[in-house]
Amino acid sequence: GEISDFQKVCDYLEELSDENYCYDNNFKLNAPEIHSYLTRICYNRRSKINPFYNQFIVGGYDENGKTYLGYTDLYGTTFKDKYVVTGFGSHFAYPILRKEYKNDLTVDNAKKLLAEVMKVLFYRDCRTINKITFAICEKGEIKIEEPVSLKTNWDLSEIRPVKKEKFYPDENDDEKKMDVED
């Protein structure tokens, strides 16, 4: 998304937080409330034909202490789920997550699943690097781990460049010789 749009949304959220602080009632917004607020902002801007060109993921806890993960985009489209993905990579990641995700995944198994998803995305965009950073969010603590390199294999016959073959015309033919790449 656009950095300037993201900064403006952060300003809106900071203003909301400051306003709540001024009421001095110890009220703090939880994840579903922030998600709802973001959705309203995005829908309002879309309706004015001046959308925020961002996709947002809001994670946290609801008022009952249950985990919450929600998605909102520039159109004000919103949903909550057990996993969410943004950007072009979502076209590749969602099918894998829908097939492999289980409710009782351990942290290690979740990391393995995400690593497999990221490998698919790395193969799709070979100009990127194969390093990812995992962040583990638990109640009251966010742990950001050191980046890890994923093993990738670029020695596949499907992606090896095709060698150029030279075609030479007949001596009787007036065509020039050509290099052809299949």
Side-chain angles (χ1 to χ4, degrees), residues 21-164:
Y21 178 78
C22 289
Y23 288 136
D24 197 26
N25 60 4
N26 292 326
F27 180 77
K28 292 185 179 178
L29 294 173
N30 58 33
E33 293 166 339
I34 293 170
H35 184 221
S36 178
Y37 183 73
L38 278 175
T39 301
R40 302 302 167 256
I41 290 172
C42 290
Y43 183 79
N44 180 280
R45 289 291 294 259
R46 182 211 69 168
S47 297
K48 293 179 180 180
I49 312 173
N50 186 18
F52 288 125
Y53 288 98
N54 297 99
Q55 295 173 321
F56 300 98
I57 295 175
V58 177
Y61 294 92
D62 64 12
E63 64 276 357
N64 300 321
K66 291 185 179 180
T67 57
Y68 183 89
L69 190 62
Y71 168 91
T72 297
D73 65 13
L74 69 149
Y75 305 111
T77 304
T78 184
F79 64 90
K80 63 179 188 169
D81 207 341
K82 299 202 182 291
Y83 50 84
V84 293
V85 183
T86 64
F88 184 72
S90 64
H91 300 292
F92 298 98
Y94 270 127
I96 297 168
L97 289 171
R98 286 182 183 127
K99 181 179 178 187
E100 301 295 330
Y101 178 83
K102 309 282 186 270
N103 284 331
D104 59 349
L105 278 177
T106 64
V107 171
D108 287 336
N109 287 339
K111 285 182 183 179
K112 288 177 186 173
L113 176 57
L114 289 175
E116 286 303 312
V117 168
M118 293 306 293
K119 274 188 198 177
V120 170
L121 298 176
F122 292 144
Y123 287 134
R124 174 66 178 92
D125 184 4
C126 61
R127 293 170 294 176
T128 188
I129 60 172
N130 62 336
K131 287 189 178 184
I132 59 174
T133 303
F134 291 105
I136 301 167
C137 303
E138 296 179 323
K139 196 160 194 152
E141 179 184 8
I142 297 173
K143 180 183 172 189
I144 300 175
E145 298 180 350
E146 290 296 316
V148 294
S149 294
L150 300 180
K151 293 180 183 172
T152 54
N153 180 7
W154 291 96
D155 189 30
L156 301 171
S157 62
E158 293 85 8
I159 61 174
R160 239 182 255 138
V162 177
K163 294 180 181 178
K164 291 184 178 181

Side-chain angles (χ1 to χ4, degrees), residues 2-15 37-38 41 45 50 52 54 56:
E2 296 286 334
I3 295 294
S4 59
D5 288 347
F6 178 71
Q7 290 170 333
K8 185 65 175 173
V9 169
C10 287
D11 289 344
Y12 284 146
L13 290 172
E14 194 170 320
E15 287 174 18
Y37 183 73
L38 278 175
I41 290 172
R45 289 291 294 259
N50 186 18
F52 288 125
N54 297 99
F56 300 98

